[in-house]
Structure formats: C-alpha cells, structure tokens
Amino acid sequence: MPVERTLSIIKPDAVAKNVVGQIYTRFEQAGLKVIAARMMQLSAAQAEGFYAVHRERPFFRDLVNFMISGPVMIQVLEGPDAVAKNRALMGSTDPKKAEPGTIRADFADSIDANAVHGSDGADTAAEEIRFFFSGLDLCPRA
Ligand code: CMP
C-alpha cells in the first residue's frame, strides 16, 4: 500500500467536547502518524476559501458559520493508504448514517457538527495540505 498524506480537521464541536486526544488515539491506532498540526480559529475568509468547492451548495453559509464558531485542530496524517483509512475512521458525513465505532458515530451530533473533516482523494489532499501548511511544516516520520 502506498504511503500517502491526508488533511484532517477536528471541528469546533469535537474540540469543545475535549476529545482531540481520543481522536488522535484513533489515528495512531490505525497506523496514521501526525506529521504537522496546528490549532487555530478560522476567519470567515479562510473557511470560505477552504470550502470554496461547496460555495454554491445550500449548506455553504451554515458550514462556514459553524467552522468559525470555535477553534479547530488541523493535522496532516501520513501512512499507508492514509486518505481511505482516515475516511473509514471518520464514517459517513451524516453521523446518523455513520457506522458504529467510527469517529462521527461516537462524537458527532449532526451533519454540520460532524466532528471531523478528511480529504476525499489524493489530489484534494495535496491541495488541502497546501492550504494550511508549507513544506517546512511537514515532519516526515520514520
Ligand atoms: P466535510 O467533510 O467537512 O465537508 C463538507 C461539509 O459540509 C461536510 O463535512 C458537512 O459537515 C457539511 N454538510 C452540511 N450539509 C451537507 C450535505 N447535505 N452534504 C454534504 N455535506 C454537508
């Protein structure tokens, strides 16, 4: 399996619930390594830029407002098949449909407050990583 990188965001609801460590444990137990991390409070312009692909969707304004409602924890995860592995750990976007034992099933409340974001493919991952981190921020791990 190829070693990949993916972007993960622990959203304001999960940060407020103080479960950052529990979510990191799930990444680590699945063989994903955190190679860069940053906690920040997004501005509206930053959230709009990050989610620009969704700007015509009816949920865009609610999504942006939610993402700026509190601090988020942003990380780059590295490991074999990291994009798909992270998506499996997260579960379905709508927590009501998320498989038992997934991050969203265990920690999310609604489709907006759904605990985590993860890149949906290798190309998106590269773009999303560049949005938040420079090459100098990444610390590849043995
Ligand atoms: P995320 O993986 O961060 O990508 C876009 C976000 O939009 C998604 O998680 C949800 O939190 C939010 N969202 C709200 N409504 C919808 C919807 N109907 N379909 C997809 N995403 C939605």
Side-chain angles (χ1 to χ4, degrees):
M1 261 184 289
V3 171
E4 292 178 340
R5 292 174 180 172
T6 190
L7 187 89
S8 157
I9 303 178
I10 301 178
K11 296 189 180 185
D13 56 321
V15 173
K17 285 180 183 164
N18 207 25
V19 294
V20 170
Q22 291 186 59
I23 293 173
Y24 267 43
T25 297
R26 293 183 184 211
F27 296 151
E28 291 172 352
Q29 287 180 342
L32 296 174
K33 296 176 177 177
V34 176
I35 64 161
R38 164 186 299 160
M39 180 170 271
M40 63 187 288
Q41 172 94 39
L42 295 176
S43 68
Q46 288 167 334
E48 287 164 3
F50 181 75
Y51 280 119
V53 66
H54 294 305
R55 67 182 167 273
E56 304 301 338
R57 308 284 293 273
F59 57 81
F60 181 67
R61 193 43 51 196
D62 286 345
L63 171 62
V64 168
N65 286 336
F66 176 67
M67 291 300 288
I68 66 173
S69 67
V72 294
M73 187 77 196
I74 308 166
Q75 43 283 320
V76 178
L77 305 175
E78 183 180 80
D81 213 13
V83 173
K85 200 176 270 182
N86 183 42
R87 291 184 71 76
L89 288 175
M90 291 192 302
S92 298
T93 305
D94 182 349
K96 289 200 284 290
K97 297 180 187 150
E99 305 69 16
T102 60
I103 293 170
R104 285 168 169 156
D106 290 346
F107 299 121
D109 297 321
S110 68
I111 196 162
D112 287 311
N114 67 348
V116 279
H117 166 82
S119 309
D120 63 6
D123 293 345
T124 318
E127 263 176 53
E128 291 184 349
I129 291 168
R130 266 198 308 275
F131 187 90
F132 285 114
F133 297 99
S134 87
L136 291 175
D137 296 319
L138 307 177
C139 303
R141 307 256 303 273

